[in-house]
Amino acid sequence: MAAGGRTVACTISRYNLTCAICSGDVRPGDRMFCFERRPIIATVVGGGGSSGGATTSSSSSSGAVAWGHESCHDPSLPPPPPCRHWERLGRCPAMESGECAFRHDVDDDGVGVASSSSSSSSASSSDGERRGWGGRRKHVRNRHKNSTFRIFLMRTYGEEYLNRGLIRRRRHRRGGRGEHDEEEDDDDYDDYDDDDDDDRIGGVILDVAGGKGELSFELMNLSGAYECVVIDPRPLNLGMVVGKWTRGLYEPGRVGPIFSRWYPACEDGCRYRVPRNPGHIRCLFDGRAFANFARAIERIDVDRADGSYRRDIDRARGIAWTIRGLRHEDGSFHDDYDGDGGGAGVMSTTAETNDVITHPFEIIDPAVARDILRRCHLVVGLHPDQATGEIVEFAMAMHIPYCIVPCCVYSDTFVKRKLRDGTRVTTFEHLVTWLCEKDPRARTATLDLDGKNTVVYTLPDF
């Protein structure tokens, strides 16, 4: 609120500045407004000589941005410059929070209007056309899709659930010589009870077909998730996100007060501590097989499941990855493969290997992998391709929620997929409908990003 009760768009200062009106100090935390400081250009009117003409002044159309205290605002000052986010994206998160001091022009329908410079630069493009390098795009590009999906997870499930710690209850028995603690089966989890001697163990988020592992890295280090494990036959590559971490790009002082709420696990100076790496189960994902592996209890079942797990790990290492994707032993590629609808585990392997190095965070021991699957409380998949249906199978078998953003249909691979009315699943709309019919609890939402952006998810049963 400006002097005299007038309302002016303001933001919160993050730096020490000088007020352009009163020359006083603007300190971090003070509310301030901005206006376009237009340079004065002197002109001579009439007379023709240095002594006979009158001098007037006019303002140029653009200049530097000046800042001032909210209480120093005057209606006679020039308006603030246009918001670049509003012009380029048609939206402004800071404005939605009431903390953007720049101008947001709208037309009669309430749609954002670009400035003259922005309009002229895009004159060569027709209305609604998107240029390859950005320009008039309205959605987040692929390089930010992990952050967009992560924020959706935080909004949908909440920080408490993502950072969930499970409790394994111990029951006490009194033996002949003293008191002994006998631990229950790993499947027996219960709420915390102060009267019992309980062990707190952390829940796990499974990131199926997680690719490089960037989503899991962000969930652990930015959102504070207790533990994330990527299931993908490809080796992880965290170079980009680790580089951003070491440069301090995730710190609150860098992202600002508007976006820092989506980085609750980061603090100023966090770049000086070592980030946590997600675990990695390097194999193809088969929902039913993984569920049976996790629930194996009898020794004969455990031995059989452990052997199958080791073979799956070796099989994934034998896959040769090319720039075109997965290459099969017959020379065909992933996009050309015509399988029999056997799920995410139908891929053939080659004799070549492109990476036989075991990274420190790869999970080889079947006992460790089984414990991770039993502690899983959420399965996520961002464009998981052929593992889409397998995620739903596993989550339903383990009675846990899932959240996936489906992408490719692979109708030639999954020829047995049909809707309830008998229609074959051949389009993306069919795929979303098929997933919702598979689980009546499923809900849908839309992400603000380019490409396939429909989310199919379920909520936990509290």
Side-chain angles (χ1 to χ4, degrees):
M1 187 72 68
R6 294 181 298 275
T7 301
V8 58
C10 291
T11 189
I12 299 175
S13 175
R14 297 162 52 192
Y15 311 101
N16 289 310
L17 303 172
T18 300
C19 177
I21 309 300
C22 68
S23 300
D25 293 333
V26 179
R27 298 181 176 85
D30 292 347
R31 291 184 60 81
M32 60 181 183
F33 74 99
C34 69
F35 62 94
E36 197 168 16
R37 178 181 290 171
R38 298 172 179 173
I40 304 300
I41 302 177
T43 59
V44 178
V45 180
S50 60
S51 60
T55 302
T56 62
S57 62
S58 62
S59 299
S60 66
S61 60
S62 62
V65 178
W67 296 90
H69 294 106
E70 180 182 19
S71 58
C72 295
H73 180 263
D74 190 297
S76 62
L77 292 171
C83 174
R84 60 179 180 176
H85 303 291
W86 181 260
E87 287 187 326
R88 186 165 59 94
L89 303 176
R91 58 183 176 82
C92 174
M95 182 195 69
E96 296 171 1
S97 303
E99 297 184 4
C100 183
F102 293 94
R103 191 173 75 246
H104 305 87
D105 297 326
V106 297
D107 57 18
D108 295 338
D109 297 327
V111 180
V113 177
S115 66
S116 58
S117 60
S118 175
S119 300
S120 61
S121 64
S122 60
S124 59
S125 301
S126 59
D127 292 342
E129 182 181 355
R130 295 178 184 172
R131 292 178 295 205
W133 52 268
R136 302 176 65 188
R137 66 183 175 89
K138 300 295 184 183
H139 299 285
V140 177
R141 282 292 175 87
N142 277 342
R143 64 177 180 174
H144 299 299
K145 66 180 182 180
N146 291 312
S147 296
T148 303
F149 187 42
R150 177 178 61 85
I151 291 174
F152 176 83
L153 294 174
M154 294 179 66
R155 284 174 167 167
T156 303
Y157 298 98
E159 292 181 39
E160 183 178 357
Y161 187 79
L162 294 181
N163 309 346
R164 177 182 177 184
L166 299 178
I167 300 300
R168 176 162 49 196
R169 169 168 293 178
R170 291 179 175 179
R171 62 169 177 256
H172 304 279
R173 289 184 179 178
R174 185 172 298 278
R177 293 187 178 180
E179 188 173 285
H180 300 277
D181 293 342
E182 181 176 339
E183 189 170 305
E184 290 188 353
D185 291 337
D186 291 343
D187 291 332
D188 296 330
Y189 295 106
D190 206 342
D191 296 330
Y192 186 79
D193 188 346
D194 291 334
D195 296 333
D196 289 338
D197 182 17
D198 294 339
D199 284 340
R200 177 177 291 276
I201 60 175
V204 177
I205 298 176
L206 286 185
D207 181 10
V208 178
K212 297 179 180 179
E214 294 177 348
L215 173 62
S216 292
F217 180 92
E218 290 191 9
L219 283 170
M220 292 179 64
N221 294 285
L222 309 187
S223 300
Y226 180 83
E227 184 178 1
C228 293
V229 175
V230 180
I231 301 182
D232 197 295
R234 296 165 291 185
L236 302 188
N237 184 355
L238 301 172
M240 179 179 293
V241 287
V242 171
K244 290 181 178 180
W245 177 274
T246 55
R247 295 198 303 272
L249 300 185
Y250 298 125
E251 297 181 6
R254 188 64 179 265
V255 301
I258 305 300
F259 298 99
S260 60
R261 59 175 173 163
W262 305 118
Y263 299 76
C266 297
E267 72 282 349
D268 289 329
C270 64
R271 64 182 180 274
Y272 298 114
R273 59 179 170 87
V274 179
R276 296 183 296 153
N277 287 325
H280 185 201
I281 297 178
R282 189 176 175 183
C283 67
L284 297 160
F285 187 71
D286 186 306
R288 293 183 180 179
F290 267 73
N292 293 333
F293 171 74
R295 294 180 297 189
I297 297 177
E298 299 295 334
R299 176 53 56 188
I300 186 173
D301 296 331
V302 170
D303 292 341
R304 184 185 299 111
D306 289 355
S308 177
Y309 176 81
R310 292 189 180 95
R311 288 191 296 272
D312 288 342
I313 294 292
D314 294 337
R315 181 187 184 197
R317 291 185 181 179
I319 296 176
W321 295 94
T322 70
I323 58 175
R324 291 187 59 186
L326 190 63
R327 184 174 63 193
H328 304 281
E329 57 187 359
D330 60 358
S332 63
F333 289 90
H334 177 71
D335 295 337
D336 304 323
Y337 183 73
D338 187 10
D340 58 1
V346 301
M347 302 303 179
S348 300
T349 60
T350 70
E352 303 176 21
T353 59
N354 64 335
D355 184 17
V356 295
I357 300 175
T358 300
H359 295 281
F361 38 87
E362 281 190 13
I363 299 164
I364 307 298
D365 189 348
V368 177
R370 180 176 291 106
D371 177 68
I372 287 172
L373 296 179
R374 288 177 174 178
R375 291 189 289 118
C376 175
H377 66 280
L378 177 64
V379 191
V380 300
L382 178 57
H383 297 165
D385 291 334
Q386 291 174 305
T388 299
E390 304 299 322
I391 292 176
V392 179
E393 290 279 356
F394 176 80
M396 294 180 65
M398 300 297 290
H399 306 289
I400 56 178
Y402 60 86
C403 185
I404 52 179
V405 184
C407 185
C408 301
V409 179
Y410 294 102
S411 58
D412 291 338
T413 300
F414 302 105
V415 295
K416 297 181 180 180
R417 285 181 178 174
K418 293 183 180 180
L419 303 180
R420 289 177 180 173
D421 60 4
T423 304
R424 275 198 62 216
V425 177
T426 57
T427 66
F428 179 76
E429 290 72 20
H430 289 166
L431 178 60
V432 173
T433 303
W434 179 77
L435 291 171
C436 293
E437 290 181 352
K438 196 175 183 69
D439 187 349
R441 304 172 303 158
R443 306 183 182 190
T444 60
T446 303
L447 293 181
D448 185 22
L449 53 80
D450 277 341
K452 296 296 187 293
N453 57 0
T454 300
V455 188
V456 181
Y457 67 100
T458 58
L459 298 177
D461 297 326
F462 292 112

